[in-house]
Amino acid sequence: MEFTDEQIDRYARHLVLPEIGDGGQGRLLESKVLVIGAGGLGSPLLSYLAAAGVGTLGVIDDDVVDLSNLQRQILHDTSAIGQPKVRSARRRLAEINPEVKVIEHAERLTTENAIGVIEGYDLVADGSDNFATRYLVNDACFLAEKTLVSAAIMRFDGQIATFKAYKEGEHPCYRCLFGAQQQDIKNSCADVGVLGALAGTMGSLQAVEVVKELLDIGESLSGSLLLYDSLATTFRKIKTRRDPACELCGPQATNFAQRAKLSRGILRTLSSDREG
Ligand SMILES: [Zn+2]
């Protein structure tokens, strides 16, 4: 790929890294990444991906900027209060790197639109703030065969994992780790709080893992769960395994999943199981 003088300047620190170089930078420029949520995790994640020159960034969020967001959602500023987050995010990302194409999806991810939205991208990064969305993103990424980098934060704790259960081998999915159901019982950041800078740590880790997956460098976080305890200042990396009984990616589910992929009914079925 031929770089302009401006690109050679802008990406100089990537170009000198043997693991990235011209080939890797070219790959980043051609990559399309969908980020779920332009909030606490999405802010550093999108900022670093834009700065890195990931060519197309999709942002899906149906929320507007609220004063209480600004303690951690550093994509947005005080003047953006009341504006759609996707609009505010796009404006800021264009300032960071005007050559990145930002696609606004000012909607909620649902069982109806999930696969259609995800299919247009190479990789998905989930920075949503609730279990229902995390399960939906996991299921849709499995069915659409997209690698997923998923992170979550609460109080002083963060976690991150990469999922590519659509591949053969020891690649568990989100359901393998957390079971078929997790209820959103009074457990959101709004209820229990979250340290603002923790979003910076975990969203930045997500950006690193996204770039590694896009370039296929280093050791993938698939098959591992990384836990960060900010009060103790400890990182713990746990090995994770596929659950043979997983209703999405387990062996007995494979045929079901493949059939349902054609009908796309599986998202509805799995979601209604969860809600029921
Ligand atoms: Zn699974």
Side-chain angles (χ1 to χ4, degrees):
M1 168 167 199
E2 285 286 304
F3 294 109
T4 63
D5 288 348
E6 198 187 313
Q7 285 176 319
I8 290 169
D9 263 357
R10 182 181 282 275
Y11 304 117
R13 301 298 183 277
H14 276 170
L15 297 175
V16 295
L17 288 170
E19 292 81 356
I20 300 183
D22 290 17
Q25 189 59 49
R27 216 152 139 185
L28 292 178
L29 288 164
E30 282 161 9
S31 294
K32 298 177 180 178
V33 173
L34 176 68
V35 173
I36 319 282
L41 293 164
S43 287
L45 172 57
L46 284 160
S47 301
Y48 276 118
L49 295 181
V54 172
T56 304
L57 290 172
V59 191
I60 181 160
D61 200 309
D62 69 339
D63 217 355
V64 296
V65 179
D66 183 83
L67 180 58
S68 66
N69 300 149
L70 303 185
Q71 164 256 19
R72 64 201 175 284
Q73 302 185 14
I74 56 170
L75 263 184
H76 316 296
D77 48 39
T78 308
S79 67
I81 291 171
Q83 283 180 20
K85 284 189 181 175
V86 289
R87 179 69 40 84
S88 164
R90 185 177 167 185
R91 202 189 49 197
R92 173 80 187 119
L93 297 173
E95 296 278 338
I96 293 174
N97 189 347
E99 85 172 335
V100 170
K101 181 179 171 193
V102 178
I103 300 173
E104 297 177 31
H105 299 275
E107 56 191 327
R108 228 185 146 69
L109 200 71
T110 66
T111 53
E112 302 302 318
N113 68 11
I115 288 183
V117 173
I118 284 170
E119 264 174 351
Y121 295 90
D122 304 316
L123 182 148
V124 177
D126 187 6
S128 66
D129 61 356
N130 63 86
F131 284 116
T133 304
R134 279 183 216 129
Y135 277 91
L136 175 59
V137 173
N138 174 67
D139 298 350
C141 284
F142 175 77
L143 296 171
E145 300 188 351
K146 304 292 177 185
T147 296
L148 166 64
V149 179
S150 181
I153 49 173
M154 180 86 59
R155 293 174 42 81
F156 297 92
D157 299 313
Q159 63 180 43
I160 175 170
T162 295
F163 300 107
K164 31 186 166 184
Y166 62 90
K167 290 193 171 175
E168 297 271 314
E170 205 45 70
H171 297 292
C173 82
Y174 188 87
R175 284 175 184 272
C176 294
L177 272 61
F178 299 103
Q181 313 194 18
Q182 287 250 12
Q183 299 300 331
D184 278 305
I185 32 160
K186 284 288 164 205
N187 231 355
S188 72
C189 288
D191 299 313
V192 300
V194 63
L195 179 70
L198 178 64
T201 309
M202 299 312 295
S204 300
L205 277 173
Q206 250 183 312
V208 171
E209 295 307 318
V210 167
V211 169
K212 281 168 57 189
E213 291 295 334
L214 292 174
L215 300 182
D216 198 15
I217 57 173
E219 197 178 311
S220 175
L221 204 50
S222 178
S224 298
L225 176 67
L226 183 70
L227 302 169
Y228 174 47
D229 177 342
S230 70
L231 288 181
T233 323
T234 54
F235 283 95
R236 211 148 53 92
K237 193 174 169 185
I238 300 168
K239 269 249 158 289
T240 56
R241 304 221 165 273
R242 231 186 244 275
D243 175 6
C246 177
E247 61 182 319
L248 183 71
C249 77
Q252 81 288 2
T254 309
N255 288 338
F256 174 52
Q258 276 167 356
R259 256 184 292 129
K261 185 180 171 183
L262 300 173
S263 71
R264 297 185 180 183
I266 190 168
L267 285 181
R268 243 159 290 146
T269 312
L270 290 166
S271 292
S272 60
D273 282 357
R274 188 179 56 239
E275 282 149 16

mmCIF file of all heavy atoms in Angstrom, residues 8 81 202 221 248 250:
data_model
loop_
_atom_site.group_PDB
_atom_site.id
_atom_site.type_symbol
_atom_site.label_atom_id
_atom_site.label_comp_id
_atom_site.label_asym_id
_atom_site.label_seq_id
_atom_site.Cartn_x
_atom_site.Cartn_y
_atom_site.Cartn_z
ATOM 1 N N ILE A 8 2.677 8.854 6.405
ATOM 2 C CA ILE A 8 3.982 8.387 6.900
ATOM 3 C C ILE A 8 4.329 9.103 8.206
ATOM 4 O O ILE A 8 4.845 8.508 9.145
ATOM 5 C CB ILE A 8 5.079 8.582 5.828
ATOM 6 C CG1 ILE A 8 4.836 7.596 4.673
ATOM 7 C CG2 ILE A 8 6.485 8.384 6.408
ATOM 8 C CD1 ILE A 8 5.663 7.843 3.427
ATOM 9 N N ILE A 81 -23.760 18.111 25.808
ATOM 10 C CA ILE A 81 -24.887 17.614 26.615
ATOM 11 C C ILE A 81 -26.197 17.766 25.833
ATOM 12 O O ILE A 81 -26.464 18.828 25.257
ATOM 13 C CB ILE A 81 -24.949 18.352 27.975
ATOM 14 C CG1 ILE A 81 -23.745 17.932 28.835
ATOM 15 C CG2 ILE A 81 -26.255 18.057 28.715
ATOM 16 C CD1 ILE A 81 -23.572 18.746 30.103
ATOM 17 N N MET A 202 -9.607 0.005 31.013
ATOM 18 C CA MET A 202 -10.197 -1.164 30.337
ATOM 19 C C MET A 202 -10.482 -0.872 28.855
ATOM 20 O O MET A 202 -10.317 -1.745 28.005
ATOM 21 C CB MET A 202 -11.475 -1.615 31.060
ATOM 22 C CG MET A 202 -11.256 -2.040 32.518
ATOM 23 S SD MET A 202 -9.874 -3.181 32.788
ATOM 24 C CE MET A 202 -10.440 -4.628 31.901
ATOM 25 N N LEU A 221 -6.340 -12.993 23.361
ATOM 26 C CA LEU A 221 -6.982 -13.122 24.673
ATOM 27 C C LEU A 221 -8.162 -14.106 24.620
ATOM 28 O O LEU A 221 -8.863 -14.296 25.609
ATOM 29 C CB LEU A 221 -7.450 -11.734 25.156
ATOM 30 C CG LEU A 221 -7.632 -11.483 26.650
ATOM 31 C CD1 LEU A 221 -6.434 -11.909 27.471
ATOM 32 C CD2 LEU A 221 -7.941 -10.009 26.904
ATOM 33 N N LEU A 248 -25.193 -22.150 22.778
ATOM 34 C CA LEU A 248 -24.838 -21.454 21.531
ATOM 35 C C LEU A 248 -23.732 -22.196 20.773
ATOM 36 O O LEU A 248 -23.877 -22.486 19.590
ATOM 37 C CB LEU A 248 -24.384 -20.021 21.832
ATOM 38 C CG LEU A 248 -24.062 -19.190 20.586
ATOM 39 C CD1 LEU A 248 -25.327 -18.836 19.817
ATOM 40 C CD2 LEU A 248 -23.297 -17.917 20.952
ATOM 41 N N GLY A 250 -21.843 -25.065 22.021
ATOM 42 C CA GLY A 250 -21.576 -26.453 22.392
ATOM 43 C C GLY A 250 -21.801 -27.391 21.212
ATOM 44 O O GLY A 250 -22.483 -27.021 20.264
#
